[in-house]
PDB file of all heavy atoms in Angstrom:
ATOM      1  N   ALA A   1     222.000 -11.202  30.568  1.00 92.00           N
ATOM      2  CA  ALA A   1     222.098 -11.978  31.810  1.00 92.00           C
ATOM      3  C   ALA A   1     223.421 -11.688  32.507  1.00 92.00           C
ATOM      4  O   ALA A   1     223.477 -11.549  33.741  1.00 92.00           O
ATOM      5  CB  ALA A   1     221.966 -13.462  31.517  1.00 92.00           C
ATOM      6  N   LEU A   2     224.499 -11.593  31.735  1.00 93.00           N
ATOM      7  CA  LEU A   2     225.798 -11.258  32.311  1.00 93.00           C
ATOM      8  C   LEU A   2     225.773  -9.859  32.913  1.00 93.00           C
ATOM      9  O   LEU A   2     226.267  -9.634  34.026  1.00 93.00           O
ATOM     10  CB  LEU A   2     226.878 -11.360  31.239  1.00 93.00           C
ATOM     11  CG  LEU A   2     228.270 -10.860  31.623  1.00 93.00           C
ATOM     12  CD1 LEU A   2     228.846 -11.690  32.752  1.00 93.00           C
ATOM     13  CD2 LEU A   2     229.193 -10.861  30.405  1.00 93.00           C
ATOM     14  N   PHE A   3     225.193  -8.904  32.179  1.00 96.00           N
ATOM     15  CA  PHE A   3     225.128  -7.531  32.690  1.00 96.00           C
ATOM     16  C   PHE A   3     224.355  -7.476  34.004  1.00 96.00           C
ATOM     17  O   PHE A   3     224.783  -6.828  34.962  1.00 96.00           O
ATOM     18  CB  PHE A   3     224.473  -6.622  31.654  1.00 96.00           C
ATOM     19  CG  PHE A   3     224.277  -5.214  32.130  1.00 96.00           C
ATOM     20  CD1 PHE A   3     225.292  -4.272  32.000  1.00 96.00           C
ATOM     21  CD2 PHE A   3     223.095  -4.826  32.744  1.00 96.00           C
ATOM     22  CE1 PHE A   3     225.120  -2.968  32.469  1.00 96.00           C
ATOM     23  CE2 PHE A   3     222.913  -3.532  33.211  1.00 96.00           C
ATOM     24  CZ  PHE A   3     223.936  -2.609  33.069  1.00 96.00           C
ATOM     25  N   ASN A   4     223.208  -8.149  34.062  1.00 96.00           N
ATOM     26  CA  ASN A   4     222.405  -8.132  35.292  1.00 96.00           C
ATOM     27  C   ASN A   4     223.154  -8.751  36.460  1.00 96.00           C
ATOM     28  O   ASN A   4     223.001  -8.319  37.617  1.00 96.00           O
ATOM     29  CB  ASN A   4     221.088  -8.862  35.062  1.00 96.00           C
ATOM     30  CG  ASN A   4     220.112  -8.050  34.244  1.00 96.00           C
ATOM     31  OD1 ASN A   4     220.113  -6.822  34.300  1.00 96.00           O
ATOM     32  ND2 ASN A   4     219.268  -8.721  33.472  1.00 96.00           N
ATOM     33  N   SER A   5     223.959  -9.772  36.187  1.00 95.00           N
ATOM     34  CA  SER A   5     224.745 -10.393  37.244  1.00 95.00           C
ATOM     35  C   SER A   5     225.781  -9.418  37.805  1.00 95.00           C
ATOM     36  O   SER A   5     225.961  -9.311  39.025  1.00 95.00           O
ATOM     37  CB  SER A   5     225.429 -11.658  36.715  1.00 95.00           C
ATOM     38  OG  SER A   5     226.264 -12.228  37.689  1.00 95.00           O
ATOM     39  N   VAL A   6     226.458  -8.686  36.916  1.00 96.00           N
ATOM     40  CA  VAL A   6     227.444  -7.699  37.363  1.00 96.00           C
ATOM     41  C   VAL A   6     226.751  -6.552  38.088  1.00 96.00           C
ATOM     42  O   VAL A   6     227.240  -6.048  39.104  1.00 96.00           O
ATOM     43  CB  VAL A   6     228.261  -7.183  36.162  1.00 96.00           C
ATOM     44  CG1 VAL A   6     229.232  -6.093  36.602  1.00 96.00           C
ATOM     45  CG2 VAL A   6     229.021  -8.326  35.510  1.00 96.00           C
ATOM     46  N   LEU A   7     225.597  -6.148  37.579  1.00 97.00           N
ATOM     47  CA  LEU A   7     224.842  -5.053  38.208  1.00 97.00           C
ATOM     48  C   LEU A   7     224.452  -5.399  39.640  1.00 97.00           C
ATOM     49  O   LEU A   7     224.566  -4.563  40.552  1.00 97.00           O
ATOM     50  CB  LEU A   7     223.597  -4.748  37.377  1.00 97.00           C
ATOM     51  CG  LEU A   7     222.627  -3.715  37.955  1.00 97.00           C
ATOM     52  CD1 LEU A   7     223.272  -2.342  37.994  1.00 97.00           C
ATOM     53  CD2 LEU A   7     221.329  -3.682  37.138  1.00 97.00           C
ATOM     54  N   SER A   8     224.001  -6.628  39.860  1.00 96.00           N
ATOM     55  CA  SER A   8     223.567  -7.015  41.199  1.00 96.00           C
ATOM     56  C   SER A   8     224.717  -7.027  42.199  1.00 96.00           C
ATOM     57  O   SER A   8     224.502  -6.828  43.401  1.00 96.00           O
ATOM     58  CB  SER A   8     222.910  -8.397  41.152  1.00 96.00           C
ATOM     59  OG  SER A   8     223.849  -9.382  40.737  1.00 96.00           O
ATOM     60  N   ASP A   9     225.947  -7.249  41.724  1.00 95.00           N
ATOM     61  CA  ASP A   9     227.107  -7.296  42.616  1.00 95.00           C
ATOM     62  C   ASP A   9     227.711  -5.922  42.891  1.00 95.00           C
ATOM     63  O   ASP A   9     228.551  -5.787  43.791  1.00 95.00           O
ATOM     64  CB  ASP A   9     228.185  -8.209  42.026  1.00 95.00           C
ATOM     65  CG  ASP A   9     227.756  -9.670  41.996  1.00 95.00           C
ATOM     66  OD1 ASP A   9     226.879 -10.033  42.798  1.00 95.00           O
ATOM     67  OD2 ASP A   9     228.285 -10.433  41.169  1.00 95.00           O
ATOM     68  N   ALA A  10     227.331  -4.909  42.121  1.00 95.00           N
ATOM     69  CA  ALA A  10     227.909  -3.579  42.298  1.00 95.00           C
ATOM     70  C   ALA A  10     227.439  -2.975  43.612  1.00 95.00           C
ATOM     71  O   ALA A  10     226.262  -3.049  43.967  1.00 95.00           O
ATOM     72  CB  ALA A  10     227.527  -2.674  41.129  1.00 95.00           C
ATOM     73  N   GLY A  11     228.380  -2.379  44.344  1.00 93.00           N
ATOM     74  CA  GLY A  11     228.050  -1.766  45.625  1.00 93.00           C
ATOM     75  C   GLY A  11     229.186  -0.911  46.129  1.00 93.00           C
ATOM     76  O   GLY A  11     230.186  -0.688  45.426  1.00 93.00           O
ATOM     77  N   PRO A  12     229.086  -0.414  47.357  1.00 90.00           N
ATOM     78  CA  PRO A  12     230.130   0.457  47.908  1.00 90.00           C
ATOM     79  C   PRO A  12     231.510  -0.190  47.913  1.00 90.00           C
ATOM     80  O   PRO A  12     232.520   0.517  47.830  1.00 90.00           O
ATOM     81  CB  PRO A  12     229.632   0.735  49.333  1.00 90.00           C
ATOM     82  CG  PRO A  12     228.157   0.538  49.263  1.00 90.00           C
ATOM     83  CD  PRO A  12     227.946  -0.560  48.267  1.00 90.00           C
ATOM     84  N   GLY A  13     231.583  -1.516  48.012  1.00 89.00           N
ATOM     85  CA  GLY A  13     232.880  -2.164  48.015  1.00 89.00           C
ATOM     86  C   GLY A  13     233.502  -2.315  46.654  1.00 89.00           C
ATOM     87  O   GLY A  13     234.662  -2.728  46.532  1.00 89.00           O
ATOM     88  N   THR A  14     232.772  -1.977  45.587  1.00 92.00           N
ATOM     89  CA  THR A  14     233.311  -2.121  44.233  1.00 92.00           C
ATOM     90  C   THR A  14     234.437  -1.128  43.986  1.00 92.00           C
ATOM     91  O   THR A  14     235.442  -1.466  43.348  1.00 92.00           O
ATOM     92  CB  THR A  14     232.194  -1.918  43.195  1.00 92.00           C
ATOM     93  OG1 THR A  14     231.123  -2.834  43.468  1.00 92.00           O
ATOM     94  CG2 THR A  14     232.710  -2.158  41.786  1.00 92.00           C
ATOM     95  N   ILE A  15     234.288   0.108  44.470  1.00 93.00           N
ATOM     96  CA  ILE A  15     235.301   1.154  44.304  1.00 93.00           C
ATOM     97  C   ILE A  15     235.871   1.483  45.682  1.00 93.00           C
ATOM     98  O   ILE A  15     235.158   2.007  46.549  1.00 93.00           O
ATOM     99  CB  ILE A  15     234.700   2.418  43.660  1.00 93.00           C
ATOM    100  CG1 ILE A  15     234.047   2.072  42.314  1.00 93.00           C
ATOM    101  CG2 ILE A  15     235.771   3.480  43.476  1.00 93.00           C
ATOM    102  CD1 ILE A  15     235.024   1.524  41.284  1.00 93.00           C
ATOM    103  N   PRO A  16     237.147   1.185  45.916  1.00 88.00           N
ATOM    104  CA  PRO A  16     237.704   1.390  47.261  1.00 88.00           C
ATOM    105  C   PRO A  16     237.876   2.856  47.648  1.00 88.00           C
ATOM    106  O   PRO A  16     237.882   3.183  48.832  1.00 88.00           O
ATOM    107  CB  PRO A  16     239.058   0.672  47.189  1.00 88.00           C
ATOM    108  CG  PRO A  16     239.424   0.676  45.729  1.00 88.00           C
ATOM    109  CD  PRO A  16     238.122   0.574  44.991  1.00 88.00           C
ATOM    110  N   LEU A  17     238.018   3.744  46.668  1.00 89.00           N
ATOM    111  CA  LEU A  17     238.256   5.155  46.979  1.00 89.00           C
ATOM    112  C   LEU A  17     236.939   5.843  47.294  1.00 89.00           C
ATOM    113  O   LEU A  17     236.010   5.841  46.481  1.00 89.00           O
ATOM    114  CB  LEU A  17     238.954   5.848  45.802  1.00 89.00           C
ATOM    115  CG  LEU A  17     239.363   7.308  46.017  1.00 89.00           C
ATOM    116  CD1 LEU A  17     240.346   7.426  47.181  1.00 89.00           C
ATOM    117  CD2 LEU A  17     239.983   7.878  44.738  1.00 89.00           C
ATOM    118  N   GLY A  18     236.812   6.418  48.494  1.00 86.00           N
ATOM    119  CA  GLY A  18     235.586   7.070  48.913  1.00 86.00           C
ATOM    120  C   GLY A  18     235.375   8.404  48.237  1.00 86.00           C
ATOM    121  O   GLY A  18     236.194   8.884  47.446  1.00 86.00           O
ATOM    122  N   GLY A  19     234.235   9.023  48.575  1.00 89.00           N
ATOM    123  CA  GLY A  19     233.890  10.288  47.941  1.00 89.00           C
ATOM    124  C   GLY A  19     233.122  10.051  46.655  1.00 89.00           C
ATOM    125  O   GLY A  19     232.743   8.931  46.317  1.00 89.00           O
ATOM    126  N   THR A  20     232.900  11.144  45.912  1.00 93.00           N
ATOM    127  CA  THR A  20     232.197  11.053  44.632  1.00 93.00           C
ATOM    128  C   THR A  20     232.844  11.998  43.636  1.00 93.00           C
ATOM    129  O   THR A  20     233.047  13.175  43.942  1.00 93.00           O
ATOM    130  CB  THR A  20     230.710  11.431  44.782  1.00 93.00           C
ATOM    131  OG1 THR A  20     230.112  10.621  45.790  1.00 93.00           O
ATOM    132  CG2 THR A  20     229.970  11.223  43.468  1.00 93.00           C
ATOM    133  N   SER A  21     233.169  11.480  42.445  1.00 96.00           N
ATOM    134  CA  SER A  21     233.746  12.291  41.375  1.00 96.00           C
ATOM    135  C   SER A  21     232.982  12.004  40.094  1.00 96.00           C
ATOM    136  O   SER A  21     233.180  10.964  39.449  1.00 96.00           O
ATOM    137  CB  SER A  21     235.232  11.981  41.192  1.00 96.00           C
ATOM    138  OG  SER A  21     235.756  12.725  40.088  1.00 96.00           O
ATOM    139  N   LEU A  22     232.067  12.896  39.737  1.00 97.00           N
ATOM    140  CA  LEU A  22     231.320  12.749  38.488  1.00 97.00           C
ATOM    141  C   LEU A  22     232.238  12.881  37.277  1.00 97.00           C
ATOM    142  O   LEU A  22     232.039  12.214  36.258  1.00 97.00           O
ATOM    143  CB  LEU A  22     230.206  13.793  38.435  1.00 97.00           C
ATOM    144  CG  LEU A  22     229.077  13.624  39.461  1.00 97.00           C
ATOM    145  CD1 LEU A  22     228.160  14.852  39.466  1.00 97.00           C
ATOM    146  CD2 LEU A  22     228.267  12.377  39.155  1.00 97.00           C
ATOM    147  N   ALA A  23     233.259  13.719  37.370  1.00 96.00           N
ATOM    148  CA  ALA A  23     234.196  13.889  36.257  1.00 96.00           C
ATOM    149  C   ALA A  23     234.942  12.594  35.971  1.00 96.00           C
ATOM    150  O   ALA A  23     235.193  12.246  34.815  1.00 96.00           O
ATOM    151  CB  ALA A  23     235.178  15.021  36.566  1.00 96.00           C
ATOM    152  N   ALA A  24     235.296  11.846  37.022  1.00 96.00           N
ATOM    153  CA  ALA A  24     235.983  10.568  36.825  1.00 96.00           C
ATOM    154  C   ALA A  24     235.094   9.584  36.076  1.00 96.00           C
ATOM    155  O   ALA A  24     235.568   8.820  35.227  1.00 96.00           O
ATOM    156  CB  ALA A  24     236.402   9.991  38.173  1.00 96.00           C
ATOM    157  N   ALA A  25     233.792   9.583  36.371  1.00 97.00           N
ATOM    158  CA  ALA A  25     232.870   8.698  35.660  1.00 97.00           C
ATOM    159  C   ALA A  25     232.783   9.056  34.188  1.00 97.00           C
ATOM    160  O   ALA A  25     232.755   8.177  33.315  1.00 97.00           O
ATOM    161  CB  ALA A  25     231.489   8.773  36.313  1.00 97.00           C
ATOM    162  N   LEU A  26     232.756  10.361  33.863  1.00 97.00           N
ATOM    163  CA  LEU A  26     232.670  10.795  32.473  1.00 97.00           C
ATOM    164  C   LEU A  26     233.948  10.459  31.711  1.00 97.00           C
ATOM    165  O   LEU A  26     233.903  10.066  30.544  1.00 97.00           O
ATOM    166  CB  LEU A  26     232.384  12.295  32.416  1.00 97.00           C
ATOM    167  CG  LEU A  26     231.056  12.748  33.063  1.00 97.00           C
ATOM    168  CD1 LEU A  26     230.923  14.260  32.994  1.00 97.00           C
ATOM    169  CD2 LEU A  26     229.881  12.077  32.390  1.00 97.00           C
ATOM    170  N   GLU A  27     235.079  10.616  32.363  1.00 96.00           N
ATOM    171  CA  GLU A  27     236.348  10.291  31.705  1.00 96.00           C
ATOM    172  C   GLU A  27     236.474   8.788  31.449  1.00 96.00           C
ATOM    173  O   GLU A  27     237.000   8.358  30.419  1.00 96.00           O
ATOM    174  CB  GLU A  27     237.514  10.796  32.554  1.00 96.00           C
ATOM    175  CG  GLU A  27     237.596  12.325  32.618  1.00 96.00           C
ATOM    176  CD  GLU A  27     238.592  12.807  33.652  1.00 96.00           C
ATOM    177  OE1 GLU A  27     239.194  11.928  34.323  1.00 96.00           O
ATOM    178  OE2 GLU A  27     238.753  14.035  33.800  1.00 96.00           O
ATOM    179  N   GLU A  28     235.984   7.988  32.374  1.00 96.00           N
ATOM    180  CA  GLU A  28     235.999   6.543  32.168  1.00 96.00           C
ATOM    181  C   GLU A  28     235.055   6.149  31.040  1.00 96.00           C
ATOM    182  O   GLU A  28     235.336   5.206  30.279  1.00 96.00           O
ATOM    183  CB  GLU A  28     235.602   5.826  33.460  1.00 96.00           C
ATOM    184  CG  GLU A  28     235.577   4.320  33.375  1.00 96.00           C
ATOM    185  CD  GLU A  28     236.934   3.701  33.127  1.00 96.00           C
ATOM    186  OE1 GLU A  28     237.954   4.384  33.366  1.00 96.00           O
ATOM    187  OE2 GLU A  28     236.972   2.531  32.691  1.00 96.00           O
ATOM    188  N   ALA A  29     233.951   6.860  30.895  1.00 96.00           N
ATOM    189  CA  ALA A  29     233.002   6.563  29.819  1.00 96.00           C
ATOM    190  C   ALA A  29     233.613   6.792  28.446  1.00 96.00           C
ATOM    191  O   ALA A  29     233.291   6.078  27.487  1.00 96.00           O
ATOM    192  CB  ALA A  29     231.749   7.412  29.991  1.00 96.00           C
ATOM    193  N   ALA A  30     234.506   7.765  28.334  1.00 93.00           N
ATOM    194  CA  ALA A  30     235.169   8.013  27.052  1.00 93.00           C
ATOM    195  C   ALA A  30     235.976   6.802  26.613  1.00 93.00           C
ATOM    196  O   ALA A  30     236.129   6.553  25.411  1.00 93.00           O
ATOM    197  CB  ALA A  30     236.068   9.250  27.170  1.00 93.00           C
ATOM    198  N   ARG A  31     236.485   6.017  27.564  1.00 93.00           N
ATOM    199  CA  ARG A  31     237.228   4.803  27.237  1.00 93.00           C
ATOM    200  C   ARG A  31     236.315   3.595  27.047  1.00 93.00           C
ATOM    201  O   ARG A  31     236.690   2.623  26.396  1.00 93.00           O
ATOM    202  CB  ARG A  31     238.255   4.514  28.328  1.00 93.00           C
ATOM    203  CG  ARG A  31     239.341   5.566  28.452  1.00 93.00           C
ATOM    204  CD  ARG A  31     240.389   5.170  29.478  1.00 93.00           C
ATOM    205  NE  ARG A  31     239.877   5.316  30.834  1.00 93.00           N
ATOM    206  CZ  ARG A  31     240.007   6.428  31.553  1.00 93.00           C
ATOM    207  NH1 ARG A  31     240.610   7.501  31.033  1.00 93.00           N
ATOM    208  NH2 ARG A  31     239.524   6.496  32.784  1.00 93.00           N
ATOM    209  N   ALA A  32     235.117   3.650  27.620  1.00 94.00           N
ATOM    210  CA  ALA A  32     234.212   2.506  27.533  1.00 94.00           C
ATOM    211  C   ALA A  32     233.516   2.413  26.189  1.00 94.00           C
ATOM    212  O   ALA A  32     233.180   1.312  25.736  1.00 94.00           O
ATOM    213  CB  ALA A  32     233.161   2.594  28.654  1.00 94.00           C
ATOM    214  N   PHE A  33     233.302   3.551  25.523  1.00 92.00           N
ATOM    215  CA  PHE A  33     232.653   3.535  24.216  1.00 92.00           C
ATOM    216  C   PHE A  33     233.661   3.214  23.125  1.00 92.00           C
ATOM    217  O   PHE A  33     234.810   3.677  23.175  1.00 92.00           O
ATOM    218  CB  PHE A  33     231.991   4.880  23.917  1.00 92.00           C
ATOM    219  CG  PHE A  33     230.696   5.103  24.643  1.00 92.00           C
ATOM    220  CD1 PHE A  33     230.644   5.956  25.732  1.00 92.00           C
ATOM    221  CD2 PHE A  33     229.537   4.465  24.229  1.00 92.00           C
ATOM    222  CE1 PHE A  33     229.449   6.170  26.399  1.00 92.00           C
ATOM    223  CE2 PHE A  33     228.338   4.674  24.903  1.00 92.00           C
ATOM    224  CZ  PHE A  33     228.295   5.529  25.986  1.00 92.00           C
ATOM    225  N   PRO A  34     233.263   2.466  22.091  1.00 83.00           N
ATOM    226  CA  PRO A  34     234.173   2.216  20.966  1.00 83.00           C
ATOM    227  C   PRO A  34     234.333   3.479  20.138  1.00 83.00           C
ATOM    228  O   PRO A  34     233.386   4.256  19.974  1.00 83.00           O
ATOM    229  CB  PRO A  34     233.460   1.113  20.172  1.00 83.00           C
ATOM    230  CG  PRO A  34     232.012   1.294  20.491  1.00 83.00           C
ATOM    231  CD  PRO A  34     231.970   1.788  21.914  1.00 83.00           C
ATOM    232  N   PRO A  35     235.520   3.724  19.597  1.00 78.00           N
ATOM    233  CA  PRO A  35     235.713   4.917  18.765  1.00 78.00           C
ATOM    234  C   PRO A  35     235.031   4.745  17.413  1.00 78.00           C
ATOM    235  O   PRO A  35     235.360   3.865  16.637  1.00 78.00           O
ATOM    236  CB  PRO A  35     237.242   4.994  18.615  1.00 78.00           C
ATOM    237  CG  PRO A  35     237.706   3.572  18.792  1.00 78.00           C
ATOM    238  CD  PRO A  35     236.759   2.936  19.757  1.00 78.00           C
ATOM    239  N   ARG A  36     234.039   5.563  17.134  1.00 70.00           N
ATOM    240  CA  ARG A  36     233.356   5.525  15.845  1.00 70.00           C
ATOM    241  C   ARG A  36     232.673   6.860  15.624  1.00 70.00           C
ATOM    242  O   ARG A  36     232.456   7.633  16.562  1.00 70.00           O
ATOM    243  CB  ARG A  36     232.344   4.391  15.790  1.00 70.00           C
ATOM    244  CG  ARG A  36     231.103   4.617  16.646  1.00 70.00           C
ATOM    245  CD  ARG A  36     230.159   3.443  16.569  1.00 70.00           C
ATOM    246  NE  ARG A  36     228.893   3.748  17.233  1.00 70.00           N
ATOM    247  CZ  ARG A  36     227.968   2.851  17.505  1.00 70.00           C
ATOM    248  NH1 ARG A  36     228.169   1.592  17.201  1.00 70.00           N
ATOM    249  NH2 ARG A  36     226.836   3.211  18.085  1.00 70.00           N
ATOM    250  N   GLU A  37     232.268   7.095  14.390  1.00 63.00           N
ATOM    251  CA  GLU A  37     231.590   8.332  14.052  1.00 63.00           C
ATOM    252  C   GLU A  37     230.086   8.162  14.152  1.00 63.00           C
ATOM    253  O   GLU A  37     229.561   7.061  14.105  1.00 63.00           O
ATOM    254  CB  GLU A  37     231.976   8.778  12.636  1.00 63.00           C
ATOM    255  CG  GLU A  37     233.459   9.086  12.476  1.00 63.00           C
ATOM    256  CD  GLU A  37     233.787   9.515  11.074  1.00 63.00           C
ATOM    257  OE1 GLU A  37     232.871   9.481  10.225  1.00 63.00           O
ATOM    258  OE2 GLU A  37     234.943   9.880  10.822  1.00 63.00           O
ATOM    259  N   GLY A  38     229.397   9.267  14.266  1.00 65.00           N
ATOM    260  CA  GLY A  38     227.945   9.224  14.307  1.00 65.00           C
ATOM    261  C   GLY A  38     227.414   9.084  15.716  1.00 65.00           C
ATOM    262  O   GLY A  38     228.149   9.097  16.706  1.00 65.00           O
ATOM    263  N   GLY A  39     226.087   8.953  15.806  1.00 71.00           N
ATOM    264  CA  GLY A  39     225.431   8.869  17.099  1.00 71.00           C
ATOM    265  C   GLY A  39     225.228   7.430  17.526  1.00 71.00           C
ATOM    266  O   GLY A  39     226.036   6.545  17.249  1.00 71.00           O
ATOM    267  N   GLY A  40     224.110   7.217  18.211  1.00 87.00           N
ATOM    268  CA  GLY A  40     223.818   5.871  18.677  1.00 87.00           C
ATOM    269  C   GLY A  40     224.566   5.463  19.915  1.00 87.00           C
ATOM    270  O   GLY A  40     224.631   4.279  20.251  1.00 87.00           O
ATOM    271  N   ARG A  41     225.146   6.442  20.638  1.00 92.00           N
ATOM    272  CA  ARG A  41     225.869   6.155  21.873  1.00 92.00           C
ATOM    273  C   ARG A  41     225.316   7.056  22.984  1.00 92.00           C
ATOM    274  O   ARG A  41     225.239   8.273  22.827  1.00 92.00           O
ATOM    275  CB  ARG A  41     227.372   6.383  21.699  1.00 92.00           C
ATOM    276  CG  ARG A  41     228.019   5.420  20.720  1.00 92.00           C
ATOM    277  CD  ARG A  41     229.505   5.717  20.551  1.00 92.00           C
ATOM    278  NE  ARG A  41     229.726   7.002  19.887  1.00 92.00           N
ATOM    279  CZ  ARG A  41     230.921   7.561  19.735  1.00 92.00           C
ATOM    280  NH1 ARG A  41     232.005   6.950  20.215  1.00 92.00           N
ATOM    281  NH2 ARG A  41     231.045   8.716  19.116  1.00 92.00           N
ATOM    282  N   VAL A  42     224.948   6.430  24.098  1.00 95.00           N
ATOM    283  CA  VAL A  42     224.294   7.149  25.188  1.00 95.00           C
ATOM    284  C   VAL A  42     224.991   6.805  26.498  1.00 95.00           C
ATOM    285  O   VAL A  42     225.270   5.628  26.776  1.00 95.00           O
ATOM    286  CB  VAL A  42     222.797   6.783  25.289  1.00 95.00           C
ATOM    287  CG1 VAL A  42     222.132   7.556  26.419  1.00 95.00           C
ATOM    288  CG2 VAL A  42     222.094   7.031  23.968  1.00 95.00           C
ATOM    289  N   LEU A  43     225.268   7.827  27.286  1.00 96.00           N
ATOM    290  CA  LEU A  43     225.804   7.649  28.631  1.00 96.00           C
ATOM    291  C   LEU A  43     224.730   8.054  29.631  1.00 96.00           C
ATOM    292  O   LEU A  43     224.240   9.186  29.614  1.00 96.00           O
ATOM    293  CB  LEU A  43     227.063   8.493  28.839  1.00 96.00           C
ATOM    294  CG  LEU A  43     227.605   8.541  30.271  1.00 96.00           C
ATOM    295  CD1 LEU A  43     228.038   7.144  30.733  1.00 96.00           C
ATOM    296  CD2 LEU A  43     228.761   9.530  30.387  1.00 96.00           C
ATOM    297  N   VAL A  44     224.351   7.120  30.498  1.00 97.00           N
ATOM    298  CA  VAL A  44     223.363   7.388  31.542  1.00 97.00           C
ATOM    299  C   VAL A  44     224.103   7.451  32.874  1.00 97.00           C
ATOM    300  O   VAL A  44     224.663   6.461  33.328  1.00 97.00           O
ATOM    301  CB  VAL A  44     222.276   6.291  31.577  1.00 97.00           C
ATOM    302  CG1 VAL A  44     221.290   6.566  32.707  1.00 97.00           C
ATOM    303  CG2 VAL A  44     221.553   6.217  30.240  1.00 97.00           C
ATOM    304  N   VAL A  45     224.124   8.632  33.491  1.00 97.00           N
ATOM    305  CA  VAL A  45     224.810   8.849  34.764  1.00 97.00           C
ATOM    306  C   VAL A  45     223.771   8.852  35.873  1.00 97.00           C
ATOM    307  O   VAL A  45     222.920   9.750  35.935  1.00 97.00           O
ATOM    308  CB  VAL A  45     225.604  10.168  34.759  1.00 97.00           C
ATOM    309  CG1 VAL A  45     226.338  10.346  36.082  1.00 97.00           C
ATOM    310  CG2 VAL A  45     226.579  10.207  33.592  1.00 97.00           C
ATOM    311  N   ILE A  46     223.818   7.867  36.754  1.00 97.00           N
ATOM    312  CA  ILE A  46     222.854   7.745  37.850  1.00 97.00           C
ATOM    313  C   ILE A  46     223.559   8.122  39.145  1.00 97.00           C
ATOM    314  O   ILE A  46     224.502   7.451  39.575  1.00 97.00           O
ATOM    315  CB  ILE A  46     222.298   6.316  37.945  1.00 97.00           C
ATOM    316  CG1 ILE A  46     221.707   5.892  36.604  1.00 97.00           C
ATOM    317  CG2 ILE A  46     221.250   6.222  39.041  1.00 97.00           C
ATOM    318  CD1 ILE A  46     221.169   4.482  36.587  1.00 97.00           C
ATOM    319  N   SER A  47     223.095   9.181  39.794  1.00 97.00           N
ATOM    320  CA  SER A  47     223.765   9.679  40.996  1.00 97.00           C
ATOM    321  C   SER A  47     222.810  10.547  41.804  1.00 97.00           C
ATOM    322  O   SER A  47     221.761  10.984  41.303  1.00 97.00           O
ATOM    323  CB  SER A  47     225.010  10.485  40.598  1.00 97.00           C
ATOM    324  OG  SER A  47     225.623  11.076  41.728  1.00 97.00           O
TER     325      SER A  47
END
């Protein structure tokens, strides 16, 4: 429920810097995942 609430609020005003950087999204994902071994971690990039 919390995730859906944040998802509904996401929009162009969420990130003030214009343009698109896919590399920036991937680098941020490296910090979003907890450090652990093995699989079970998936990054879905929607663009």
Side-chain angles (χ1 to χ4, degrees):
L2 172 63
F3 176 86
N4 285 329
S5 176
V6 177
L7 175 66
S8 63
D9 293 336
T14 304
I15 303 298
L17 184 60
T20 305
S21 176
L22 293 170
L26 299 178
E27 292 170 359
E28 180 65 19
R31 295 184 286 269
F33 283 105
R36 72 181 188 191
E37 298 180 355
R41 294 178 293 173
V42 181
L43 172 63
V44 178
V45 182
I46 305 178
S47 175

